[in-house]
Amino acid sequence: MSTREFFEVEAKFSVTDDTEIPDLTGISGVTGVADTAVHELSAVYYDTGDLRLTRSKITLRRRTGGTDAGWHAKLPGDGGRRELHHELTDEDAHTVPEALIDPVRAIVRDLPLIPIARVDNERHESTLTDSGGTGCAEFCDDHVTAWSLLPGGDRTTWREWEIELSDAYAGTDAGADLIESATELFRTAGAAPSASPSKLVAALGDSLDTAPTPPRVAELAPDSAEAGVLAALAHNYRRLLDYDPRVRRDEWDSVHQMRVATRELRSHLETFDGVMDGDSYRGTARGLRELAAVLGTARDAEVVAERFRELTAHEETEVVSPESAAALVDSVRADYRDAHARVVDYLDSPDYLRLLAELEELLADPPFREKTAGEAENDSSADTAAEVLLEHLGHAYKKLLTRHDHAMSVWEDDSVPLREREENIHRIRKAAKKLRYSAEAVGAATGLKTKHLYKACSRMQSVLGDFQDAVTSRDILLAKAEQARAADGGADTFLHGLLYQRELSNGEKVLAGYRKTMDAVVDAYSELDNQRRKARRKAERTSGKKEKKGKKKH
């Protein structure tokens, strides 16, 4: 059964029962009203018991009557709303289709979806046309009766106007002008922009305020290191939720961005070891590692498919046939499609939904280590969490230096296998990521300026990431060559060998710029270390003055 997607751009207006509809051809770009029809619509809206969808400005409903009967999901978008339609069946009276749950799975997880409101609407619908006879918008005069099905809910009635752009006008300058002109015309007629963002919110009324709420990020002292820690975790948790539906839709680079958010969350949990107590968050870190691994397989295939496309596009057709080049690229794209399907399966798994629940619980009730009695009394110990983070930062920096020294000492030693030397470089990249994430956490938690170190690590990661992409590309080329030979003993693998040498050369060129990035990291860390020392001396002087002042009082 098909699910269709639309981009909805509309404006809503509140009117009284006796407000007269103005001449709609007074709207800029509108030259006629093609037809007007009356529809009796009835919709039941669904959400979790704590209204997670409604609070995220998402609506999910089952509508009967009119020209678009079916299940509808409306999600926020840039300049409008994404609207998904799914057909009705006789069996789905109270069962939300999976195709409409998937885009909001990260929000509702496996929580039950229940009816929260019913909205009946006598709709007077007019199709507006432009000078070419093309439909440019629909004007709806809605007479609404609604019931909140939440505890304490009530029956309400109201009248409103809607003007919704057609597909041809949505997202265009002409469409924006039309909405602006309609707004001015309707205001002149006595209408006012609707105070409610949707019919659902209007239907719920005051019962929305008394409904249970989902767990919220804990409120901590804003200037505390713990608040900075929590802010860093919450930021990447929101990124994870944001990219979940994009990954499901297979938007370009969404797998990569979701993987980055996952890795940063995991790294933060490891970095905050010593700031937080207990073992529960360590289990969450393991779940994040598993998610990152699933995303990583798809990400590698996505990157390599694009690399192969670019590499083969520059080969002369006299040397490499377009057919063999296309076959190689298509093969890796097929690998990506398979890997992406496995990602989507994982995003529907109990393990992933449990991971999201654990992260939500961790943010609502973070297991921060409580200060001892001595620490609580001693102002100089108030920044214990900040000191722990700085200690982690120092360890991460030393690990990067150690891995750098070892990798460089053997890089040109041909007696060491190339695979081992390349793995040493990869380990540097991992250490740079750890240092970058630690720098971000320290900056958020302490107020120290870590931007230069963060950016220096990012540049190093970029260089070493390009190097690793070339290595991964070579590995896949070898695997594809072996597959070709196994499938056909006489298969031509000349292209695989040619591209292998290209990637070997590409890796060496990229690595030539690595040492500059290392120098930049060293300089940035030294700058941060000096900044930290100055801050500590200042804190010690302040503490000393307070101590002397206290002694004088006694």
Side-chain angles (χ1 to χ4, degrees):
M1 188 174 296
S2 62
T3 300
R4 297 170 295 149
E5 181 171 338
F6 304 89
F7 184 61
E8 179 188 75
V9 180
E10 66 178 12
K12 297 175 179 290
F13 303 86
S14 298
V15 292
T16 62
D17 289 338
D18 56 0
T19 304
E20 294 186 4
I21 300 173
D23 179 4
L24 299 176
T25 59
I27 300 173
S28 175
V30 176
T31 60
V33 179
D35 57 72
T36 298
V38 179
H39 302 290
E40 296 293 337
L41 312 176
S42 183
V44 176
Y45 289 79
Y46 290 77
D47 203 341
T48 60
D50 52 10
L51 305 184
R52 292 171 180 246
L53 295 178
T54 305
R55 300 183 197 283
S56 299
K57 300 180 181 179
I58 296 171
T59 58
L60 180 61
R61 72 188 180 198
R62 185 182 189 274
R63 173 190 274 177
T64 55
T67 59
D68 64 346
W71 286 94
H72 304 160
K74 295 187 178 185
L75 303 96
D78 294 333
R81 287 161 68 88
R82 289 179 55 233
E83 184 169 349
L84 306 178
H85 287 195
H86 194 79
E87 298 175 11
L88 290 176
T89 67
D90 294 336
E91 296 82 18
D92 68 0
H94 300 292
T95 304
V96 182
E98 288 293 322
L100 297 192
I101 296 179
D102 283 346
V104 297
R105 177 73 70 187
I107 298 175
V108 303
R109 299 200 301 268
D110 52 359
L111 299 174
L113 294 168
I114 60 174
I116 59 168
R118 174 182 167 184
V119 175
D120 291 348
N121 181 14
E122 180 186 293
R123 167 163 286 182
H124 299 248
E125 183 179 275
S126 301
T127 300
L128 311 183
T129 57
D130 59 19
S131 57
T134 300
C136 53
E138 285 184 347
F139 170 77
C140 299
D141 180 15
D142 290 339
H143 302 258
V144 184
T145 302
W147 296 262
S148 169
L149 304 181
L150 299 177
D154 203 353
R155 175 182 180 275
T156 52
T157 62
W158 71 90
R159 182 186 177 202
E160 69 179 27
W161 293 345
E162 286 184 10
I163 186 161
E164 180 178 344
L165 298 178
S166 67
D167 290 344
Y169 274 69
T172 67
D173 291 341
D177 291 342
L178 191 154
I179 291 289
E180 182 179 355
S181 175
T183 300
E184 185 61 32
L185 178 66
F186 295 163
R187 279 178 170 171
T188 301
S194 177
S196 177
S198 67
K199 287 184 174 64
L200 171 61
V201 172
L204 294 177
D206 293 339
S207 66
L208 175 62
D209 299 329
T210 58
T213 59
R216 297 175 179 174
V217 177
E219 294 184 5
L220 305 175
D223 58 347
S224 67
E226 287 84 356
V229 167
L230 200 62
L233 289 169
H235 170 71
N236 281 302
Y237 175 64
R238 287 191 292 268
R239 287 178 64 198
L240 194 67
L241 298 184
D242 182 48
Y243 278 102
D244 176 290
R246 301 185 187 191
V247 167
R248 294 174 187 272
R249 294 197 301 272
D250 199 14
E251 289 187 9
W252 171 251
D253 204 42
S254 59
V255 170
H256 171 59
Q257 294 300 331
M258 188 175 188
R259 187 188 185 196
V260 169
T262 302
R263 284 182 160 181
E264 290 199 14
L265 275 168
R266 178 189 163 202
S267 181
H268 286 336
L269 290 179
E270 293 173 350
T271 300
F272 301 151
D273 189 19
V275 181
M276 295 189 291
D277 276 337
D279 294 325
S280 60
Y281 74 92
R282 294 188 177 93
T284 304
R286 288 192 292 272
L288 289 167
R289 184 189 301 116
E290 184 176 347
L291 173 59
V294 174
L295 292 167
T297 302
R299 172 59 179 168
D300 287 345
E302 183 180 39
V303 169
V304 170
E306 182 62 20
R307 287 183 75 91
F308 284 4
R309 186 192 66 78
E310 293 178 355
L311 286 169
T312 56
H314 293 90
E315 295 298 338
E316 297 180 4
T317 56
E318 293 83 0
V319 177
V320 175
S321 71
E323 292 78 15
S324 60
L328 179 60
V329 173
D330 289 345
S331 175
V332 183
R333 284 175 174 166
D335 291 344
Y336 170 73
R337 288 192 295 271
D338 291 343
H340 180 264
R342 289 193 292 273
V343 168
V344 174
D345 285 343
Y346 187 82
L347 297 185
D348 288 331
S349 72
D351 287 345
Y352 174 68
L353 300 182
R354 183 168 54 251
L355 172 63
L356 294 181
E358 289 173 357
L359 288 168
E360 181 182 74
E361 182 180 351
L362 185 146
L363 292 171
D365 187 18
F368 289 124
R369 184 178 70 83
E370 294 185 6
K371 293 182 175 65
T372 65
E375 289 173 341
E377 294 175 2
N378 188 351
D379 288 340
S380 64
S381 300
D383 290 331
T384 303
E387 289 299 321
V388 170
L389 294 179
L390 285 167
E391 184 178 349
H392 279 295
L393 183 71
H395 288 322
Y397 178 66
K398 290 177 182 177
K399 179 178 286 188
L400 176 63
L401 292 182
T402 300
R403 291 185 175 182
H404 164 81
D405 290 341
H406 174 67
M408 293 299 100
S409 68
V410 300
W411 177 246
E412 296 183 358
D413 185 351
D414 292 338
S415 66
V416 178
L418 177 61
R419 173 61 62 196
E420 182 179 331
R421 285 180 279 151
E422 289 176 338
E423 182 58 30
N424 288 338
I425 300 298
H426 186 45
R427 293 176 71 240
I428 295 175
R429 183 186 178 213
K430 289 181 179 179
K433 283 185 181 180
K434 181 73 173 180
L435 180 58
R436 173 189 163 202
Y437 297 153
S438 294
E440 179 187 42
V442 167
T446 66
L448 291 174
K449 297 176 182 178
T450 61
K451 182 172 67 174
H452 288 171
L453 180 58
Y454 183 90
K455 288 186 174 181
C457 290
S458 295
R459 286 192 291 271
M460 177 183 285
Q461 274 186 250
S462 179
V463 170
L464 297 183
D466 289 342
F467 176 82
Q468 187 60 32
D469 287 345
V471 173
T472 301
S473 176
R474 283 169 33 221
D475 288 343
I476 292 179
L477 282 166
L478 286 175
K480 292 297 179 184
E482 290 176 3
Q483 290 174 10
R485 286 192 293 269
D488 182 356
D492 181 7
T493 57
F494 172 76
L495 174 61
H496 302 72
L498 180 64
L499 297 185
Y500 186 95
Q501 289 301 317
R502 290 269 192 275
E503 289 290 47
L504 195 60
S505 175
N506 288 339
E508 291 174 353
K509 290 177 182 177
V510 167
L511 202 57
Y514 160 69
R515 289 187 181 273
K516 288 184 178 179
T517 67
M518 187 66 199
D519 291 342
V521 169
V522 171
D523 290 344
Y525 184 82
S526 177
E527 175 188 321
L528 177 61
D529 198 40
N530 288 334
Q531 182 188 157
R532 179 183 63 82
R533 292 175 188 276
K534 290 179 180 178
R536 177 174 289 178
R537 286 196 294 268
K538 181 178 179 181
E540 288 173 351
R541 287 196 299 270
T542 302
S543 177
K545 289 179 180 178
K546 287 183 178 180
E547 187 176 342
K548 288 180 180 180
K549 188 175 181 180
K551 288 181 178 179
K552 288 182 179 179
K553 286 183 178 180
H554 293 289

